[in-house]
Amino acid sequence: MVIKTLRFLAAALALAFVGTAAAQTSVDEAERGIVRVVVILQTSEGRMLYGSGSGFVVAPNLVVTNAHVVAAARQQGEYGVAIVPPEGEGLLPANIIRYSPLSELALLEFRGGPVMTPLTISTVEPRAGDGVVALGYPDVDYQGATGADLLRPTPASRTSGAIASLRDRAPTGDEIPTINHQAVISSGSSGGPLLDECGRVIGVNSWHVSGADTRETRGVSTRANQLLQFLDEAGVTPNLSDEPCLPLEARIAAEHDATVDALRAQNEELAEKLDTADRLTRIAVVILIGGTLALFVAVCVLGAILLTRRRGGGNGHAVHQPHHEPEPFEAPRRRMGVMTVVGGAAVAAILIVAAGIALMRAQTAAPEEVAETPAFAGAITCTLDREASTGAQGVSDMSFSASGALCVNERTLYAPVDDGAHFRRAIVLGEARALDILTIDPASGEFRRERYPLSDQAFADANAAVSASSAGRGCTGEGAVDAVSRRNDTLMQFAQGNPSQRLVWRCEARN
């Protein structure tokens, strides 16, 4: 028992400290996922560097940057796109798999190169006065550099400042939620991330402006909620964090308190289980002692009765037989009866002892029982099944978190269908003018996305249906599941014919 207790406590300590380490993020860690994005012109004389910007990894082999950084490659075939990671051997060709000038964002896919950890995106609303850090490759850092210098792996540049204001429009006048901040950026910074002081993405640096009279410069970033909508429409599930960014001292104190609270709760649970096991063990011992005493008394009484019993006699007048002799087999029969009683008592004692031992073993093992974790919950990794998919060019593996029944990334609720065997979410895509039907089968781990193109009229009707439904982002609230179910049922009527794209991922929970 003592060894098991120590083992349990050691595991609790390990889990607590691993959890604390995993929760920590930093700007230094984020810096390893920043890339330079370059546009290259293919000419008869060879390749020429046309322009460059910045970007950051949001999922394996996927990079976000500004739409204007790669606009030339999007519009003209002689231009190509590549990324330059912060370390490694150099240039990695990339493809534009999603492009949205309305939100000033583009999504690139690349292959090969060093392993780069995707950045975490914060879902916490930023506030004026919060400290921020901008990462990227601003042109002011590379005055006098050659084209070859810009294609060589180099760590990103870092500047810091504070949020000056939050606005609902971009400097271009477009309705894009933005962050005006004081971290210094220039044209080469476009597409790089704006981070909070914990290293989580809160925006994408897209513009830098200056006052007409004061000449004061500001950086302007597309806010993270616009980025999340863009990625959601692209079917990309990034790493998210809903924890507020605390100052370093407060983070250390909070992590220490969380570790202590977790250990205290685990110790209390363990003590309760040990106390229950101890009480049951004492009860089992009492039962064994009582049973043994009862058997001993029964054997003594029965043995005494049998050994003193004599044949004959009765309550009537007996005939006097002064010279009576016992029959030849009387004594052996008496002994046989005593042995039978003793043997029965011994068997009963053995059964009681065996039951007591089994009870003690069961109670000893009870503290080690652990409730089963749902097979489709927690951190989920999905591998694209290219054989089962159609139109999968430019699509990669993905990961997300799942909880409840069934909330994805703590913000997108899927409604049950087929008596709870599957979960579904229908999404209308703005730029693509299409309807995506997302279906998850928790039992098999299949995640299926089917895309149906919409005509102008169908697109307008589908958007009206979405606006009329009360289903929004988030997984809580009264009637949330019913609202998503009603919206799904309404939108399914627009899924006509065969889908233009069918993507199938095989998913499993990470341990």
Side-chain angles (χ1 to χ4, degrees), residues 418-476:
D418 303 331
D419 296 326
H422 303 88
F423 292 82
R424 178 173 294 159
R425 179 85 180 202
I427 298 175
V428 178
L429 305 178
E431 182 190 355
R433 289 185 173 268
L435 173 68
D436 271 6
I437 305 298
L438 310 177
T439 306
I440 296 177
D441 182 349
S444 66
E446 180 181 279
F447 188 170
R448 180 181 296 262
R449 187 185 86 185
E450 296 176 313
R451 177 163 295 180
Y452 297 85
L454 299 176
S455 64
D456 290 344
Q457 185 59 49
F459 178 70
D461 293 342
N463 276 317
V466 170
S467 299
S469 73
S470 57
R473 293 189 178 276
C475 302
T476 58

Side-chain angles (χ1 to χ4, degrees), residues 70-120:
V70 296
R74 171 78 175 184
Q75 297 163 1
Q76 302 179 55
E78 62 269 26
Y79 291 91
V81 179
I83 67 166
V84 184
E87 57 186 22
E89 297 182 357
L91 207 63
L92 299 175
N95 297 317
I96 304 172
I97 62 173
R98 193 164 189 83
Y99 180 80
S100 176
L102 295 179
S103 59
E104 242 310 303
L105 296 171
L107 186 64
L108 313 179
E109 182 183 37
F110 67 94
R111 293 292 177 188
V115 176
M116 291 182 284
T117 303
L119 273 65
T120 298

